[in-house]
Amino acid sequence: MGAGHTHKLYRHGHSPIHALPPHCKLAATFAFVLVVVSTPREAIWAFGLYALLLAAVTAVARIPAAFVLRRLLIEVPFVAFAVLMPFVAEGERVEVLGMSLSVSGLWGAWNVLAKGTLGVAASVLLASTTELRALLLGLQRLKLPPLLVQIASFMIRYGDVIGGELRRMSIARRSRGFEARGIRHWGVLAKTAGALFIRSYERGERVYLAMVSRGYSGSMPVIDDVAATRAQWAYAAVLPLAALAVCLTGWTL
């Protein structure tokens, strides 16, 4: 697996979190999110503790809080969905600021917002401290199906290439006086999408033939494998184990 591209979410650093092997961080993040999702929605205090745990990880990783908060904007569509739930859900209703809201809808909105926000925040921290190439190596180390890892690798590797092709096509259209101003121009945009698909498909064929001619047989060679020590696994397990303790307390109360 060759060198990857540095993604916009990644923030270079030398913290203990950055130094952890990628598969340790992937496993810890997945376990943390699983614990958060398993927590009863009525245990409101538990979600506050989860947020404090993520804040502690953010501090240890030396990631600015503003950096994480800006990346949380990706969940805005889910926030809009959650806001609508108290208005459209059925069942017992309660008056809040002069509005009749569904009790089950309020709990549902809280459930989506709390668990969704914590899950997205954990993912942002993972991406902020791990390069894309390292993430792919981590997925491979965790025995994810090799085909899925290769597809993700090619998607990352050639995403910028396809984006550059689209930009060149857009410049060519504008240089000929074309500007999309309404529905009557959708046909031109559809032809652009079709041409881009054909070019991408042909490029994929050429890349595949080039790989086969160099000995590709269905699996990508791993240039530098990343192993993890027991101490690193233990360090990575602190977050999900602390969250599990909070979750178990929430179920017993």
Side-chain angles (χ1 to χ4, degrees), residues 42 66 100 104 106 122 175 185 215:
E42 292 79 11
S100 178
S104 61
L106 288 171
S175 67
H185 291 131

Side-chain angles (χ1 to χ4, degrees), residues 133-155:
R133 177 175 175 274
L135 283 175
L136 293 173
L137 288 173
L139 292 174
Q140 199 167 33
R141 185 77 180 181
L142 291 174
K143 306 301 181 183
L144 196 74
L147 182 60
L148 293 181
V149 177
Q150 291 180 48
I151 291 173
S153 176
F154 289 130
M155 180 184 68

Side-chain angles (χ1 to χ4, degrees), residues 11-145:
R11 186 178 179 88
H12 182 73
H14 301 283
S15 71
I17 306 299
H18 285 80
L20 281 176
H23 48 292
C24 293
K25 288 186 278 188
L26 281 165
T29 301
F30 177 78
F32 174 79
V33 172
L34 186 63
V35 170
V36 169
V37 172
S38 303
T39 304
R41 63 187 184 183
E42 292 79 11
I44 298 177
W45 59 271
F47 296 102
L49 291 180
Y50 293 150
L52 289 177
L53 288 175
L54 290 181
V57 173
T58 303
V60 173
R62 305 187 188 101
I63 303 294
F67 181 89
V68 177
L69 293 175
R70 285 197 302 269
R71 269 60 185 178
L72 288 179
L73 293 177
I74 194 174
E75 69 165 342
V76 167
F78 299 98
V79 173
F81 170 75
V83 169
L84 291 176
M85 291 181 67
F87 296 95
V88 300
E90 299 180 352
E92 181 184 356
R93 308 192 74 82
V94 63
E95 291 289 332
V96 178
L97 299 177
M99 297 179 293
S100 178
L101 304 178
S102 167
V103 174
S104 61
L106 288 171
W107 277 116
W110 160 252
N111 196 45
V112 171
L113 285 175
K115 296 180 179 180
T117 301
L118 289 169
V120 172
S123 301
V124 168
L125 286 175
L126 173 64
S128 301
T129 57
T130 316
E131 293 183 345
L132 277 176
R133 177 175 175 274
L135 283 175
L136 293 173
L137 288 173
L139 292 174
Q140 199 167 33
R141 185 77 180 181
L142 291 174
K143 306 301 181 183
L144 196 74

